[in-house]
Amino acid sequence: MLNIPSQSFPAPGSQQRVAPSGQSGRNKVALKPGHSLMDWIRFSKSGKDLTGLRGRLIEVTQEELQKHNTRDDCWTCIRGMVYNVTPYMDYHPGGEAELMKAAGIDGTELFDQVHRWVNYESMLKECLVGRMATKVTTLNSYSMTSLLCAVCCLCRYDWFQTDVTVHLVLYAKRKIQISIRKQAKVKWTRLGQPLEFHNTFLRKKDRALYYRDCVLVSKTQVNHNTHVFRLQFPRGTVMHVPVGKHVYLKALVQDTEVVRPYTPVDQNLEAASLRSSQESDLYLMIKVYPDGVFTPHLNSLCIGDCIPISGPEGTFNLRPLRDVTYLYLIAAGTGFTPMTRLIQLALQDIDTIRKTKLLFLNRRKEDILWRCELDELAANTDRFQVEYVVSDPCESWTGRTGRVDESMLKDFLNGPDGSKRYVCVCGPDAFTELTIGCVI
């Protein structure tokens, strides 16, 4: 039985998907020349009036928001703030159609489904129209109890030096704003004690990502354009990133916050069995694109410099692997990075997997990542097999050539009758979609 998981690896909407330089992993359209992320940053900093309000901020009613729902006049609301996204239409990697889904309405839920990790406040700062007008809502007894609990929790914390505004989302999606004014604008001398399990009213998926400043400890070259960056968490922090999950890195590029997802690897293919439980340094294998937005900045960091890194994110689930006997991994380029820890997991921790096979596609021979380690691993265990494919071979190349197609996959995915097989695919969007289409 061949199992192609409905939660593709990574998931179709995941920002863990690998993509060309300067792009994220969601569905994209071909942008016009001069409309890259860097072009948008330059355009938004040009001083032009992108809101049409000449610098004024206004309070926007629901009725007013609904009026601005066309391609040439498009407003949307994200977390109570209204933006005129009309100037951003031609710069949006997901295309005009994706932005228009949120035209004239509250687009928070749509936004979170695709890219909750993006700092829209920084990206759309010059497009800010104003705040949504709040409506007075009559509270029932349950809602009032929740409101009082929120105020009590804040008072217990004693954290704030200045006035505090609290946004509380109650049942039936009623939103309430509470302003707490301090009599004396000084910092409290002690911290209150929070009630157990009552430190937040937000579900994890609704919370903003939490970043820690990590120190670049070393940078090891893998090939001509790819390095392994070793990053150290703050003292006292031990963080484990589960297999199949990713983290986000962020940096200021031309005064605009840029965020990118990366999947951790181990120091090498043998490191998982040797790693101490107390070691939590993060290893990221990253290809540096000379014309990219984020990777040139990352590559310019010196040893000892800091970069903010989020906690683990992602929806990939290892549970289906429990009953698998043959695991097939199909990777293109840096889509190989999520596969490294899957290989280690299958060989070291899941005895029921009899065979793990990797089909690794690249443009040229010198693009192949960790080839020596993969060859050594295949030579040392009959439970692992790797096959390389290059689309632009040199004269000395004797391996397989070409691009992924149905014939290549049929040959690769062979296995004993009755075996339970599982396929993981990672690479550029077009590659991933073509591969899944051929296999299914």
Side-chain angles (χ1 to χ4, degrees):
M1 183 176 78
L2 183 62
N3 183 8
I4 304 297
S6 58
Q7 56 148 32
S8 309
F9 184 71
S14 169
Q15 294 309 314
Q16 191 181 1
R17 284 282 182 98
V18 179
S21 167
Q23 297 179 0
S24 59
R26 58 192 180 279
N27 293 331
K28 304 176 191 67
V29 299
L31 297 175
K32 301 174 185 176
H35 287 76
S36 66
L37 173 58
M38 290 303 297
D39 292 315
W40 168 252
I41 292 173
R42 284 190 285 267
F43 178 64
S44 65
K45 304 294 183 185
S46 65
K48 294 184 179 180
D49 179 14
L50 302 188
T51 65
L53 299 174
R54 298 181 180 179
R56 293 183 298 115
L57 293 178
I58 64 174
E59 191 173 61
V60 183
T61 64
Q62 188 69 34
E63 294 73 22
E64 181 66 25
L65 177 63
Q66 292 172 353
K67 295 177 184 177
H68 303 271
N69 62 356
T70 66
R71 166 64 178 82
D72 298 322
D73 181 18
C74 182
W75 291 10
T76 191
C77 174
I78 305 177
R79 293 188 177 85
M81 307 305 291
V82 179
Y83 298 90
N84 182 354
V85 295
T86 312
Y88 186 58
M89 284 284 181
D90 292 332
Y91 294 86
H92 185 234
E96 173 186 321
E98 289 298 309
L99 280 182
M100 288 302 298
K101 290 179 182 178
I105 63 172
D106 189 327
T108 304
E109 187 173 343
L110 290 169
F111 175 85
D112 285 346
Q113 287 175 3
V114 181
H115 36 15
R116 178 175 67 92
W117 52 277
V118 171
N119 189 335
Y120 63 92
E121 293 169 308
S122 176
M123 289 283 293
L124 299 176
K125 181 168 56 177
E126 305 303 326
C127 300
L128 179 62
V129 171
R131 185 187 296 274
M132 282 295 294
T134 56
K135 292 183 178 180
V136 177
T137 304
T138 302
L139 302 177
N140 57 32
S141 59
Y142 187 87
S143 298
M144 182 60 74
T145 301
S146 300
L147 181 61
L148 291 173
C149 286
V151 176
C152 290
C153 284
L154 286 165
C155 293
R156 291 289 299 274
Y157 275 110
D158 292 355
W159 281 349
F160 309 102
Q161 180 172 354
T162 57
D163 297 342
V164 178
T165 298
V166 183
H167 295 275
L168 178 65
V169 180
L170 302 177
Y171 284 89
K173 295 186 177 179
R174 292 176 177 172
K175 300 179 181 179
I176 297 173
Q177 178 175 304
I178 311 167
S179 293
I180 303 175
R181 300 194 178 279
K182 296 189 63 176
Q183 291 182 347
K185 295 187 181 296
V186 295
K187 187 176 290 186
W188 283 312
T189 58
R190 62 181 181 84
L191 294 177
Q193 296 299 317
L195 296 174
E196 188 176 10
F197 306 124
H198 286 74
N199 61 334
T200 179
F201 282 89
L202 293 177
R203 295 170 294 179
K204 181 178 185 298
K205 74 182 188 70
D206 295 327
R207 299 178 207 164
L209 294 176
Y210 180 76
Y211 288 86
R212 298 170 176 86
D213 284 332
C214 298
V215 176
L216 179 62
V217 176
S218 66
K219 184 171 68 172
T220 306
Q221 188 166 357
V222 178
N223 66 8
H224 61 100
N225 60 10
T226 304
H227 298 80
V228 170
F229 295 81
R230 180 180 180 181
L231 296 140
Q232 189 175 73
F233 287 100
R235 185 177 180 181
T237 300
V238 177
M239 188 179 84
H240 171 69
V241 180
V243 174
K245 306 293 184 181
H246 57 277
V247 297
Y248 293 104
L249 278 64
K250 69 177 180 179
L252 281 177
V253 178
Q254 294 191 10
D255 295 326
T256 297
E257 187 174 275
V258 180
V259 182
R260 290 289 183 268
Y262 294 104
T263 309
V265 299
D266 282 308
Q267 190 173 8
N268 52 59
L269 285 176
E270 297 296 327
S273 60
L274 302 175
R275 170 175 284 204
S276 163
S277 61
Q278 294 302 310
E279 182 185 349
S280 65
D281 285 359
L282 197 68
Y283 296 87
L284 299 174
M285 185 183 292
I286 298 175
K287 179 178 178 180
V288 177
Y289 296 92
D291 57 345
V293 176
F294 189 85
T295 55
H297 169 82
L298 183 63
N299 197 42
S300 70
L301 294 179
C302 299
I303 303 302
D305 287 347
C306 290
I307 188 164
I309 298 180
S310 78
E313 294 285 326
T315 59
F316 185 73
N317 193 342
L318 295 173
R319 188 170 300 171
L321 296 181
R322 292 175 180 174
D323 301 321
V324 170
T325 54
Y326 276 71
L327 177 61
Y328 298 88
L329 310 175
I330 306 172
T334 49
F336 166 68
T337 56
M339 306 305 185
T340 61
R341 298 180 69 203
L342 271 177
I343 293 170
Q344 295 167 331
L345 181 79
L347 297 180
Q348 298 172 12
D349 297 331
I350 307 180
D351 295 334
T352 54
I353 297 180
R354 301 173 191 167
K355 191 85 167 185
T356 299
K357 297 177 66 176
L358 170 66
L359 183 66
F360 194 5
L361 297 96
N362 288 274
R363 192 166 74 86
R364 298 176 301 173
K365 178 177 69 173
E366 52 266 36
D367 296 329
I368 300 173
L369 302 169
W370 276 0
R371 183 181 181 186
C372 291
E373 294 200 23
L374 290 169
D375 289 342
E376 183 179 353
L377 188 62
N380 291 336
T381 175
D382 57 4
R383 293 179 59 211
F384 177 70
Q385 178 182 328
V386 59
E387 182 175 2
Y388 307 105
V389 182
V390 298
S391 58
D392 185 14
C394 60
E395 292 184 2
S396 62
W397 179 256
T398 57
R400 196 164 193 164
T401 62
R403 298 181 182 277
V404 67
D405 57 27
E406 190 171 353
S407 174
M408 181 185 297
L409 293 173
K410 184 177 180 181
D411 183 46
F412 173 69
L413 295 173
N414 60 23
D417 293 337
S419 61
K420 186 168 183 180
R421 292 172 277 173
Y422 198 84
V423 181
C424 295
V425 182
C426 192
D429 279 353
F431 166 84
T432 302
E433 290 163 10
L434 174 62
T435 302
I436 292 175
C438 288
V439 172
I440 293 177

